[in-house]
Amino acid sequence: MTNEHHPFEALEERLQARKTEYDAMSVPDAAASRAVRAGIEQASRKRKSRLRWLTSSISAAAIILLFTGCIRVSPAFASFVEQLPGMEGVVSLIRQDKGLMMAIDQSLLQKVGITDEHDGGSVTVEGIITDESRMVIFYKMKNMKDTEKFDYDIDLLDENGKHLPVAFSYSSPKPVSESESPTYEDIIDVSFNESLPPDQLTVVFKNRLEKTNNTWKITFPVDHTLTKNMKKVIPVNQTITLDGQRFTVEQATLYPTRLVLDIQYDANNSKKIFGIRDLQLVDEQGRAWRTDGASIGGYGTSVFFESMYFSIPKKLTLQASGLSALDKDKLMIKVDPSSNKIEGGPQELTLLDYKTKGKDTIMHFSAADAENATSGLSFTNIKDSTGKDFDVKESGWSPSGEHGTAEAWVTISNGTAAKGKLSMEIYSYPVQSRSPFSLEIPVNK
């Protein structure tokens, strides 16, 4: 029996071996909470901020399960391995995205294969897949310091060397070898909210612990022709009222890499809507098309789903279990560092700790009755008593914290310079309500 007759037999054996390794892994709670870290950098005309979330051990286990389930090689994965040999380990990150795998199987993956190597370490951008809405960057790291902790900052620059006005996420890269020269691989997931993909992109990795400020830069062209004119807009224009709050599903925009659902909230609502709970798209076969995040701004939201661009369903239904919302008169709080107390806000919110670290301040909150919430706690518009603005440097969220409640941590950059009480606006809050609804999306019109 030759490889000519079974070209992916050896690959399946390697995947099965890695599955066995993962099955034997022990993931302590503390380690698991650090195992998956997402960083989002939002660069806009006004400011740039960085947020990081620490996920629960469930999230870490989920990534392992995504890898170990379904070892058989699909045509889409076979296409991926053919185009980027040696990157099969990334399947744990993208295989659950049906739309992305179909786009790869349609030969929309662009090979890059460019490496920056110095000081004994190297970073390689192996390839990208992109359209007008999203770009996924596949990369590999070899012999880099602090890779397991992933103490690196990532920047994305355009052809003029300026920061792209985009949001992007990344997690700690996954080990793919245990040799003396360890190799790690992962993806960077980019959303184009304010701009289109550039003609040339530079990905920058910088070790934030190195005093030498070592950086690795990989510059490559971006081919826009592969997905040119492939955007499809599906009008919906239907209004729904839940818990007395109104919102309109305006349209769905279908791209090869994802579907974007635009929802507008009524400005006259008594509550601020943070999101719609358990949102999913279900086709006529009962298949659920997963949502992987949302972009919230003003009175609306854009929700991102897996793309069914290359497998248009006969029927598509939007389903949800309810709203995540808070009365608008409870959005503002004041934190008194001298007494560790909160003024205003929901009564379930408690300040557990307020401490300093260098010039920064760290606040630790708990939110009662939110242990199973799908959204976390975050803040914006932070000012001291003199009106001076402060930025969130990092934030963390756990649905099951040390005190048996949902908990959050917020680091305020240069917070020790604040005078008096800090006023903070709640940007998201783990509110839970049950008001299920469904709505048909007219995909075949």
Side-chain angles (χ1 to χ4, degrees):
M1 189 175 294
T2 66
N3 286 338
E4 182 178 353
H5 292 98
H6 295 277
F8 299 108
E9 182 176 321
L11 169 62
E12 291 182 329
E13 291 177 358
R14 293 200 301 274
L15 287 175
Q16 185 64 52
R18 188 172 295 180
K19 175 185 184 297
T20 303
E21 295 172 5
Y22 275 116
D23 286 344
M25 287 176 59
S26 174
V27 185
D29 288 344
S33 67
R34 297 190 299 267
V36 185
R37 295 192 302 173
I40 290 182
E41 179 163 338
Q42 293 183 339
S44 65
R45 298 181 183 90
K46 295 182 179 179
R47 66 176 184 173
K48 182 176 71 174
S49 63
R50 185 178 296 274
L51 305 177
R52 281 184 176 81
W53 284 269
L54 302 181
T55 66
S56 67
S57 57
I58 295 176
S59 298
I63 284 189
I64 295 174
L65 290 174
L66 286 170
F67 179 86
T68 58
C70 303
I71 290 298
R72 294 297 300 176
V73 177
S74 68
F77 183 44
S79 175
F80 174 79
V81 174
E82 286 178 338
Q83 295 177 69
L84 290 184
M87 289 288 287
E88 57 265 21
V90 180
V91 67
S92 62
L93 299 172
I94 65 171
R95 194 170 186 174
Q96 76 271 29
D97 190 325
K98 296 187 291 292
L100 193 60
M101 292 303 289
M102 284 190 288
I104 290 173
D105 209 35
Q106 294 292 322
S107 299
L108 297 184
L109 185 70
Q110 301 179 35
K111 296 181 182 179
V112 177
I114 298 177
T115 301
D116 186 13
E117 181 177 7
H118 59 83
D119 297 314
S122 69
V123 178
T124 302
V125 172
E126 297 285 1
I128 64 171
I129 182 168
T130 188
D131 52 33
E132 295 180 26
S133 178
R134 182 187 184 193
M135 177 187 291
V136 179
I137 303 169
F138 301 90
Y139 72 89
K140 185 178 294 184
M141 308 175 78
K142 290 184 178 180
N143 299 322
M144 302 284 280
K145 297 179 180 178
D146 306 305
T147 314
E148 292 185 0
K149 297 179 180 179
F150 203 66
D151 289 311
Y152 290 85
D153 287 320
I154 294 178
D155 288 322
L156 302 178
L157 311 178
D158 64 15
E159 54 267 30
N160 299 314
K162 296 182 179 180
H163 289 277
L164 287 177
V166 298
F168 62 95
S169 63
Y170 54 90
S171 59
S172 299
K174 311 300 175 289
V176 294
S177 71
E178 301 296 336
S179 62
E180 294 182 0
S181 56
T183 300
Y184 292 77
E185 60 190 28
D186 207 77
I187 63 173
I188 306 169
D189 204 336
V190 186
S191 292
F192 296 101
N193 299 322
E194 300 180 19
S195 66
L196 294 174
D199 294 326
Q200 178 178 285
L201 180 65
T202 298
V203 183
V204 181
F205 289 80
K206 180 179 179 181
N207 190 330
R208 70 173 70 96
L209 299 182
E210 287 282 351
K211 295 181 179 180
T212 56
N213 293 325
N214 280 339
T215 59
W216 288 258
K217 294 184 178 181
I218 303 95
T219 300
F220 54 89
V222 177
D223 185 358
H224 300 276
T225 62
L226 293 179
T227 56
K228 186 177 180 181
N229 299 323
M230 294 184 73
K231 170 181 173 181
K232 298 179 180 179
V233 178
I234 304 169
V236 181
N237 296 319
Q238 295 194 48
T239 299
I240 297 172
T241 301
L242 288 180
D243 297 332
Q245 313 304 306
R246 289 166 53 88
F247 61 91
T248 300
V249 180
E250 296 185 326
Q251 65 181 27
T253 307
L254 192 55
Y255 301 92
T257 64
R258 67 183 177 192
L259 181 146
V260 181
L261 190 70
D262 291 324
I263 301 173
Q264 192 75 10
Y265 304 139
D266 194 319
N268 295 319
N269 286 339
S270 62
K271 296 182 178 183
K272 177 179 178 180
I273 300 176
F274 301 119
I276 303 174
R277 298 184 62 235
D278 302 324
L279 200 62
Q280 62 179 359
L281 290 169
V282 180
D283 64 19
E284 74 282 355
Q285 300 180 38
R287 293 183 301 178
W289 297 83
R290 188 178 56 93
T291 175
D292 60 0
S295 174
I296 302 172
Y299 291 104
T301 181
S302 294
V303 187
F304 308 136
F305 292 88
E306 294 174 284
S307 175
M308 62 284 296
Y309 192 97
F310 299 105
S311 180
I312 301 294
K314 297 178 181 178
K315 182 180 179 182
L316 195 61
T317 304
L318 180 69
Q319 298 179 350
S321 65
L323 292 178
S324 175
L326 190 66
D327 291 335
K328 290 181 179 178
D329 59 6
K330 295 181 180 179
L331 294 176
M332 295 301 302
I333 69 170
K334 285 188 177 181
V335 176
D336 187 347
S338 62
S339 63
N340 270 21
K341 291 185 178 180
I342 297 175
E343 297 176 8
Q347 63 179 14
E348 297 83 6
L349 183 63
T350 303
L351 179 64
L352 297 176
D353 191 26
Y354 188 107
K355 61 184 179 182
T356 62
K357 183 179 181 181
K359 294 183 179 181
D360 300 334
T361 58
I362 303 173
M363 287 177 278
H364 183 186
F365 296 90
S366 93
D369 302 324
E371 290 82 359
N372 298 313
T374 55
S375 60
L377 173 67
S378 61
F379 298 92
T380 187
N381 295 333
I382 302 173
K383 301 177 183 292
D384 67 6
S385 58
T386 68
K388 182 180 179 181
D389 292 316
F390 291 85
D391 290 329
V392 174
K393 184 176 183 180
E394 290 184 345
S395 67
W397 163 255
S398 172
S400 55
E402 298 176 1
H403 297 78
T405 60
E407 297 181 24
W409 301 262
V410 180
T411 300
I412 308 299
S413 181
N414 199 32
T416 56
K419 305 295 184 182
K421 301 176 182 179
L422 278 177
S423 66
M424 308 167 64
E425 181 181 351
I426 296 175
Y427 184 74
S428 66
Y429 189 78
V431 180
Q432 303 180 91
S433 66
R434 182 159 183 81
S435 302
F437 74 90
S438 64
L439 175 68
E440 186 172 340
I441 305 297
V443 288
N444 291 310
K445 285 186 177 181

